[in-house]
Amino acid sequence: MTEIEKKINDLRATLRYHSDRYYNDDAPEIEDFEYDMMMRDLKSLEEQYPEFDSADSPTKRVGGKADNSFDAVEHTVRMESLQDAFSKEEIFDFDKRVKEGAGDVQYVVEPKIDGLSVSLEYVNGEFFRGSTRGDGNVGEDVSGNLRVIRSIPLKLNTALDYLEVRGEVYMPKKSFERVVDRQLLNGEKPFKNPRNAAAGSLRQKDSKVTASRGLDIFVFNIQQIEGYELNSHKQSLDYLRELGFKTVPYYERVDSIEKAFECVEGIGEKRGELEFDIDGAVIKVDDFSKREILGSTSKFPKWAVAFKYPPEEKQTKLIDIEITVGRTGVLTPTAVLESVHLAGTTVSRATLHNQDFINEKGVNIGDIVTVRKAGDIIPEVLCVNEKNSVSNYVFPEICPSCGEKVVREEGEAAIRCINPECPAQLLRNLIHFCSRDAMDIEGLGPSIIETFVNEGMIKNTFDIYHLDKEKIASLEGFKETSANNIINSVEKSKQNDLGKLIFALGIRHIGEKAAKLLSSHFKNIDNIISASEEDILEIEGFGSIMAKSVVEFFSKESALQLVDELKKAGVNTESLSVVEDNRFEGKTFVLTGTLTSFKRSEASKIIESFGGKTSSSVSKKTDFVLAGEAAGSKLDKANALGVRVISEDEFEEMIK
């Protein structure tokens, strides 16, 4: 293999990895600008060396693949991506190509919203279906989650026979900040940027979670229309507004590429002041007949171009480092900066992640550093420009909240306080305990819990079960009805399965699924408390770290006291899972693809009711892979490993 071919292949592999992280995992690891530059390098090399062309190159793909957890939707009109430009010269080159193909044209310039592209379909003026872009040809049906976005009209002002529009679902900056604050309060890993947050929120299994995230949408294109004739892009945007859509803002029609670029610069100047995130501006040929003449390449239309703004960076002085303690006891450092204007806002704080990050960057108080807003929202320290300190900053050896010694366990980046009585962890532990996946106490959200803590009504977890209705009703902003609802929800939570209680206790390394396994294996909390590491390791899927964590948690006097108080309050500590028979005992199932007769959750419950269990990944220990429509990589892996693959019909026979 030649050096050039190796470079091309390496670029393709890197781009595929980051594309998968961005589109399908909603967890990007690099900035868009860095990705765009790699894509540009690959395009250039493929043009120079066509002998290394490949049909599956990232340059020939659009977006991500459809997620198998949602029904697949085939797009009748392909949802194309846009050609990127990074300089004025490239914009003028685009104009030259347009004029060569279609003569003089007018352009429409609009912001490029940084979100998740979706299709909305209407039949007889009523919302019929909504889907993601996916790979441009096939997306995923997310109709239920799109319905909870209030700016999406469910009924149009005019009952057109059929209409398909394209829009960008995004998370407003204020909504993003609220979501991140909540994640940090809960000790969760926060979303990296609004686009990542919007994509993750739109793919939720529970539309109530989607509704709570404050998503919004801008519609920017008509894909198909029956019952009305349109001739230009601006006309179509104006008409969409008449129909009741929230269209992309600040769009303007101009007569020349010079004026178009002035609009691009104007949008860029107001970028930091917008309530939503943009990563560029789009220039489109206005006349639809001219678009027809120009056509498209295999990847993008020839009648549009997206100018991408570079990320803004500034230098400033790091004047202090503050340490906060999260729900799980993790100590998190925050840089306190001399205020600097960045991407339209004043920045005075930035994340430093952990001690390893500080050591890698060589950061300490007094240094001059470069800061940038990740996704134009969360400030982060990129590097040290001027080292004014002798050494790097070192974390304190004691917890700033409770004064106990902190530890860093082998193999972990985090430094944490392991004192369960640490005051800084109380609020976060309470929020986790009451959350939906834990005890699911409706009405006890973060702000209300904080109010009760500040009022001295909750000083520890079991105080939740001794809340006084009259005391709640007497607080400002509360009434008898809301007090009743909270008390009723608290009472209802006492009947939860043991698995929810175990997860609610916040044992390190024990997630929701592991908590269910502990519950079903040991049947009651006393058996779990008395179990040894060896006993717990008998549960398939449990490793030594998880087993050790459970034993250590219940070895603490404070944990035993908490369990005792919860029992006294009437909280259920028994497993409620009912096994009809043991036909699947010792068997592990993996579910993949779209099931038609069951929801995945329903199939999982059936398997568990027969003594089996489900796993999210295929291995040699997997007994059955239940494959629905559009099964993907899990099916391939099952075939490669020789794991038995069963259809829904076979599964129904097995459970008769």
Side-chain angles (χ1 to χ4, degrees):
M1 183 182 294
T2 66
E3 187 176 337
I4 290 296
E5 187 178 7
K6 184 179 184 306
K7 186 175 181 179
I8 289 173
N9 288 337
D10 288 347
L11 270 173
R12 285 171 179 163
T14 304
L15 284 164
R16 286 190 192 102
Y17 171 79
H18 288 296
S19 178
D20 190 57
R21 296 291 287 162
Y22 184 94
Y23 287 105
N24 301 319
D25 296 337
D26 304 320
E29 294 180 0
I30 61 174
E31 292 298 318
D32 290 353
F33 190 77
E34 189 177 344
Y35 181 90
D36 291 338
M37 291 300 100
M38 282 195 288
M39 183 66 82
R40 161 162 291 207
D41 289 344
L42 178 58
K43 286 179 183 176
S44 176
L45 286 170
E46 288 179 341
E47 288 170 1
Q48 291 178 56
Y49 303 96
E51 63 269 29
F52 301 129
D53 190 28
S54 173
D56 66 350
S57 172
T59 60
K60 295 180 172 61
R61 289 184 59 81
V62 179
K65 61 186 177 184
D67 188 325
N68 287 333
S69 58
F70 295 95
D71 290 339
V73 176
E74 189 170 344
H75 300 305
T76 309
V77 175
R78 190 165 186 258
M79 296 177 72
E80 298 173 306
S81 63
L82 292 172
Q83 179 183 6
D84 293 332
F86 299 90
S87 68
K88 184 176 180 179
E89 290 72 27
E90 290 176 88
I91 294 297
F92 278 64
D93 285 343
F94 161 75
D95 177 63
K96 183 180 178 181
R97 292 193 299 273
V98 167
K99 287 179 177 175
E100 287 173 353
D104 290 336
V105 298
Q106 289 183 309
Y107 292 111
V108 173
V109 185
E110 61 197 45
K112 186 175 184 296
I113 313 300
D114 196 12
L116 187 72
S117 198
V118 298
S119 159
L120 307 176
E121 295 176 78
Y122 292 79
V123 176
N124 296 323
E126 294 188 0
F127 180 70
F128 163 65
R129 181 172 61 184
S131 54
T132 61
R133 183 177 70 177
D135 65 359
N137 295 311
V138 179
E140 54 209 29
D141 189 330
V142 288
S143 302
N145 289 345
L146 286 168
R147 284 180 181 274
V148 303
I149 299 176
R150 295 186 177 184
S151 51
I152 293 179
L154 299 181
K155 189 170 185 177
L156 303 180
N157 295 332
T158 301
L160 294 169
D161 294 342
Y162 178 76
L163 175 70
E164 181 187 4
V165 300
R166 181 170 173 179
E168 197 81 2
V169 171
Y170 69 96
M171 184 174 284
K173 291 179 180 179
K174 287 183 179 178
S175 298
F176 178 70
E177 288 164 1
R178 282 198 302 270
V179 170
V180 168
D181 285 345
R182 197 181 307 139
Q183 288 175 318
L184 292 172
L185 195 62
N186 289 337
E188 302 168 2
K189 185 179 179 180
F191 288 121
K192 188 172 182 181
N193 54 50
R195 189 270 166 203
N196 170 219
S201 301
L202 195 59
R203 289 184 172 121
Q204 290 292 320
K205 297 294 185 182
D206 187 347
S207 60
K208 290 180 182 177
V209 177
T210 304
S212 72
R213 297 282 175 81
L215 297 179
D216 210 332
I217 190 172
F218 284 126
V219 172
F220 61 85
N221 200 58
I222 290 179
Q223 300 291 93
Q224 301 181 78
I225 186 169
E226 295 176 12
Y228 195 84
E229 189 172 330
L230 295 162
N231 300 311
S232 74
H233 184 57
K234 184 178 184 303
Q235 182 192 10
S236 71
L237 291 175
D238 293 341
Y239 183 61
L240 286 171
R241 293 175 70 178
E242 292 177 21
L243 290 175
F245 290 103
K246 184 176 180 180
T247 56
V248 64
Y250 310 115
Y251 62 87
E252 186 174 346
R253 181 163 57 193
V254 295
D255 296 326
S256 68
I257 198 64
E258 290 80 10
K259 289 180 181 177
F261 194 73
E262 286 177 14
C263 291
V264 169
E265 292 178 313
I267 292 171
E269 288 171 5
K270 66 176 72 167
R271 183 181 179 189
E273 303 164 12
L274 301 174
E275 64 168 15
F276 48 88
D277 205 21
I278 65 174
D279 60 353
V282 184
I283 301 174
K284 300 176 180 177
V285 171
D286 185 45
D287 191 310
F288 287 165
S289 63
K290 296 287 182 77
R291 290 186 181 185
E292 287 288 334
I293 294 170
L294 290 164
S296 299
T297 68
S298 61
K299 183 176 171 69
F300 48 75
K302 295 179 181 179
W303 43 262
V305 67
F307 182 85
K308 304 294 282 288
Y309 300 119
E312 188 179 359
E313 301 173 0
K314 289 282 181 71
Q315 290 186 20
T316 187
K317 186 175 183 179
L318 197 161
I319 56 179
D320 197 8
I321 294 177
E322 293 180 356
I323 302 291
T324 56
V325 185
R327 182 185 71 79
T328 57
V330 173
L331 274 60
T332 302
T334 299
V336 181
L337 309 165
E338 282 188 355
S339 297
V340 60
H341 195 72
L342 185 63
T345 59
T346 300
V347 171
S348 58
R349 301 170 70 82
T351 180
L352 287 170
H353 301 291
N354 52 45
Q355 184 70 66
D356 289 345
F357 180 87
I358 288 171
N359 292 342
E360 178 191 334
K361 303 295 183 182
V363 174
N364 206 343
I365 297 168
D367 294 344
I368 304 299
V369 297
T370 294
V371 290
R372 177 175 68 189
K373 279 191 174 183
D376 291 327
I377 296 291
I378 302 175
E380 63 179 357
V381 173
L382 289 180
C383 62
V384 174
N385 301 94
E386 185 179 324
K387 187 77 175 167
N388 294 325
S389 54
V390 177
S391 58
N392 300 336
Y393 177 83
V394 178
F395 269 57
E397 295 183 356
I398 61 170
C399 173
S401 177
C402 68
E404 290 287 322
K405 189 176 177 64
V406 297
V407 299
R408 177 172 180 174
E409 296 181 358
E410 187 177 349
E412 287 198 1
I415 294 172
R416 70 177 72 238
C417 170
I418 57 173
N419 174 19
E421 303 298 322
C422 178
Q425 299 177 53
L426 173 62
L427 179 60
R428 295 166 177 83
N429 287 335
L430 291 169
I431 291 169
H432 172 73
F433 187 89
C434 298
S435 64
R436 184 186 301 274
D437 293 332
M439 294 303 279
D440 192 18
I441 304 179
E442 193 173 344
L444 281 186
S447 60
I448 292 177
I449 292 173
E450 188 172 6
T451 297
F452 289 176
V453 169
N454 293 338
E455 291 289 332
M457 296 163 62
I458 300 180
K459 297 177 182 176
N460 47 57
T461 301
F462 53 80
D463 278 345
I464 291 169
Y465 293 95
H466 300 287
L467 286 169
D468 184 82
K469 183 171 67 176
E470 283 70 30
K471 175 67 174 173
I472 295 173
S474 69
L475 297 176
E476 185 179 352
F478 289 84
K479 294 180 180 179
E480 187 175 347
T481 302
S482 56
N484 272 328
N485 289 340
I486 289 172
I487 294 301
N488 290 338
S489 188
V490 168
E491 285 298 311
K492 182 182 176 183
S493 74
K494 293 179 181 180
Q495 309 307 316
N496 285 337
D497 182 68
L498 173 61
K500 291 183 79 68
L501 175 60
I502 295 298
F503 179 60
L505 293 176
I507 305 170
R508 286 187 62 209
H509 307 300
I510 302 301
E512 189 180 359
K513 190 163 187 175
K516 286 181 181 178
L517 290 173
L518 282 168
S519 171
S520 60
H521 184 83
F522 288 106
K523 305 304 180 186
N524 63 59
I525 201 164
D526 292 327
N527 290 339
I528 298 174
I529 291 171
S530 60
S532 65
E533 286 186 40
E534 290 73 22
D535 294 333
I536 297 172
L537 283 170
E538 290 179 4
I539 304 174
E540 189 175 343
F542 267 71
S544 57
I545 293 175
M546 296 167 71
K548 183 179 180 182
S549 185
V550 174
V551 172
E552 284 184 349
F553 180 86
F554 287 113
S555 69
K556 297 184 178 72
E557 187 61 36
S558 57
L560 298 178
Q561 182 188 354
L562 172 58
V563 170
D564 188 50
E565 292 291 341
L566 291 172
K567 283 182 179 178
K568 289 177 183 177
V571 176
N572 173 58
T573 56
E574 304 277 336
S575 172
L576 301 179
S577 61
V578 177
V579 177
E580 295 185 18
D581 62 48
N582 293 316
R583 70 182 72 179
F584 292 156
E585 185 175 5
K587 302 298 183 184
T588 300
F589 288 73
V590 171
L591 281 56
T592 183
T594 302
L595 303 179
T596 55
S597 303
F598 313 90
K599 291 181 180 178
R600 286 196 187 189
S601 58
E602 292 171 344
S604 295
K605 285 180 181 178
I606 291 169
I607 291 165
E608 289 168 7
S609 73
F610 290 128
K613 71 169 191 173
T614 59
S615 174
S616 59
S617 58
V618 179
S619 70
K620 290 181 179 179
K621 294 182 179 180
T622 304
D623 296 288
F624 302 101
V625 169
L626 173 54
E629 295 177 8
S633 58
K634 291 177 184 178
L635 176 60
D636 295 337
K637 189 171 183 180
N639 289 327
L641 293 175
V643 174
R644 183 181 170 188
V645 177
I646 59 173
S647 65
E648 281 188 77
D649 290 340
E650 290 175 291
F651 180 65
E652 288 180 6
E653 285 296 319
M654 293 168 73
I655 63 176
K656 278 184 179 178

